[in-house]
Amino acid sequence: STQSSGSSGINAEYGMSSGESGKLVYFESHLKYQITTSQITLTRKNKKTNWGVNVSNIIARLYDGLELYLATVQSLDEKGIAKKMGLKERDQILEVNGKSVQGWQSEDLLAEFSGNLSVTVTVISIEDRTITDLFLMTNRENDLNYLWALRQLVKLSICNIDFSGTGLDLSAITTTLHELIVTNCSLKCVTQIQGIGRLVSLKRLILTHNNMEHVDVKTMLKLKELTDLQLGYNALKCFPAVVTRMEKLEELSLIHNQISILPDEVVQMRSLEKLHLDNNVLTELPEYVTMQLPQLRALTLENNKLAPNTTQVGGSRKTRSKFYYKIGVTDASIAP
């Protein structure tokens, strides 16, 4: 059963910026947040019946100086008691049977659940969950503490925050995120973004103007829905071969890096429509790039070290209605 219990002494006003509905430009530190709580009572017939819930260790979350200790519901068994009685994944547990979880370990939570036939958990939530588009910039890194609560977040943009030492922790963000933009944040590798592999709904990823030196294979292969990847203005010396295994990728931008060779595996990118390789150090362009990529419609290669006759690339392509390329100072639209 579920029972609303108001704000439990945690009162604040959740602030929206001016502008379009559903978009928060940034969190203001002086704004207060409306945090409400609800109680869910779970019951079972005997202690041998599994609750069907997995809960994380307790961590502190900050609200304008107010420190709350919360445990996150990580997963629920489809047929378990907890899910049937209203507990949801990503719920934040504040209390169990009226006891604060502050100072508890996961073992303490397990003991509290396993030793009772009835357990009442107090979960907290932000009253307004309509934020879908969030932009954080210089000196707003503390606002990352609030991301876990934005359950309907679709687009997250972060820029001009130095994560070179601590990395960027997105491990608590909603897995429904579709677009992630992290620019000018001094990241050297995708693995410095903790939790990015959880973002299985991600369609667009922009990691430009960082210090990326390589792209982690294991992490990227988890992003199976990705269609647009932009890694421009980094320090990549090699073409990231992992992208050739990303079956849904339609647009790839690697401009302003130090890439000198395209691997043969590029021909595996059967969904690729746009490829941007400007401002690298390429000396040649294999013919298969234009001849064996069936969906390729745009190729840009300005400011590389290509031979002059490279401007003829794509001219013999007969199966596409229009192919656009940009090489050096030459622009061309090639019809069959």
Side-chain angles (χ1 to χ4, degrees):
S1 62
T2 304
Q3 174 184 349
S4 175
S5 60
S7 59
S8 238
I10 307 170
N11 291 309
E13 178 185 351
Y14 190 58
M16 289 282 291
S17 71
S18 60
E20 63 187 277
S21 175
K23 180 173 181 177
L24 185 65
V25 177
Y26 55 80
F27 287 103
E28 288 285 359
S29 60
H30 67 271
L31 290 177
K32 296 180 179 180
Y33 292 79
Q34 179 64 51
I35 304 172
T36 59
T37 64
S38 59
Q39 291 184 334
I40 301 173
T41 300
L42 313 176
T43 58
R44 58 182 177 175
K45 293 181 179 180
N46 59 71
K47 293 183 179 180
K48 292 183 179 181
T49 304
N50 196 314
W51 292 111
V53 58
N54 294 309
V55 182
S56 71
N57 283 330
I58 291 81
I59 62 174
R61 300 198 184 278
L62 302 175
Y63 288 88
D64 293 336
L66 177 63
E67 191 172 52
L68 301 178
Y69 290 83
L70 306 168
T72 303
V73 177
Q74 291 186 318
S75 63
L76 294 165
D77 293 346
E78 284 297 321
K79 297 182 180 180
I81 294 174
K83 185 167 186 176
K84 291 180 179 179
M85 293 190 171
L87 205 61
K88 299 184 293 295
E89 288 188 12
R90 312 306 300 170
D91 270 349
Q92 307 291 316
I93 297 177
L94 183 67
E95 298 176 346
V96 179
N97 289 333
K99 306 172 187 175
S100 169
V101 299
Q102 180 176 350
W104 287 18
Q105 300 296 322
S106 56
E107 294 81 5
D108 301 315
L109 277 170
L110 180 62
E112 193 68 32
F113 273 88
S114 61
N116 295 282
L117 294 177
S118 177
V119 176
T120 298
V121 295
T122 302
V123 299
I124 74 168
S125 61
I126 292 178
E127 186 173 311
D128 186 345
R129 292 183 174 181
T130 61
I131 303 304
T132 60
D133 188 343
L134 176 63
F135 176 55
L136 302 177
M137 59 184 301
T138 307
N139 299 323
R140 308 303 310 178
E141 56 266 38
N142 289 336
D143 295 330
L144 294 169
N145 293 307
Y146 304 89
L147 293 181
W148 66 271
L150 303 180
R151 303 275 183 95
Q152 295 184 23
L153 195 63
V154 174
K155 179 180 178 180
L156 173 62
S157 304
I158 303 173
C159 70
N160 300 331
I161 300 177
D162 187 350
F163 293 111
S164 58
T166 60
L168 170 58
D169 188 358
L170 298 181
S171 56
I173 200 170
T174 175
T175 57
T176 59
L177 195 72
H178 285 180
E179 183 172 353
L180 175 62
I181 302 172
V182 183
T183 65
N184 199 29
C185 290
S186 302
L187 296 171
K188 288 190 175 182
C189 183
V190 176
T191 54
Q192 285 186 280
I193 306 176
Q194 302 168 41
I196 190 172
R198 294 175 51 257
L199 306 180
V200 293
S201 299
L202 205 63
K203 294 183 180 297
R204 191 176 193 220
L205 177 60
I206 300 177
L207 300 176
T208 57
H209 294 274
N210 285 287
N211 298 317
M212 293 273 179
E213 297 176 346
H214 66 278
V215 179
D216 183 68
V217 174
K218 185 177 180 181
T219 300
M220 297 304 294
L221 289 180
K222 292 179 181 178
L223 308 179
K224 298 183 183 297
E225 299 301 314
L226 205 65
T227 61
D228 185 353
L229 176 60
Q230 300 187 29
L231 299 172
Y233 295 89
N234 278 295
L236 298 173
K237 294 183 178 180
C238 297
F239 186 95
V242 64
V243 302
T244 66
R245 299 164 60 185
M246 302 175 73
E247 297 180 355
K248 295 188 177 181
L249 200 62
E250 297 175 358
E251 181 167 358
L252 175 63
S253 176
L254 296 168
I255 64 173
H256 287 270
N257 278 284
Q258 302 169 36
I259 298 169
S260 59
I261 299 174
L262 296 183
D264 294 342
E265 291 83 1
V266 169
V267 298
Q268 299 174 14
M269 305 179 74
R270 313 303 288 177
S271 299
L272 193 65
E273 297 179 3
K274 299 177 181 179
L275 178 59
H276 305 290
L277 297 166
D278 309 84
N279 295 92
N280 279 279
V281 289
L282 293 167
T283 57
E284 63 177 351
L285 183 69
E287 187 178 77
Y288 58 70
V289 173
T290 56
M291 300 304 296
Q292 296 185 39
L293 295 178
Q295 303 301 322
L296 192 65
R297 292 292 181 271
L299 172 65
T300 61
L301 291 154
E302 283 193 294
N303 298 320
N304 277 276
K305 297 183 178 181
L306 299 168
N309 61 359
T310 309
T311 57
Q312 301 301 314
V313 66
S316 61
R317 183 71 186 188
K318 299 295 185 182
T319 59
R320 54 187 69 156
S321 60
K322 192 173 184 181
F323 179 76
Y324 171 79
Y325 71 83
K326 191 172 185 180
I327 303 172
V329 295
T330 304
D331 292 347
S333 295
I334 299 178

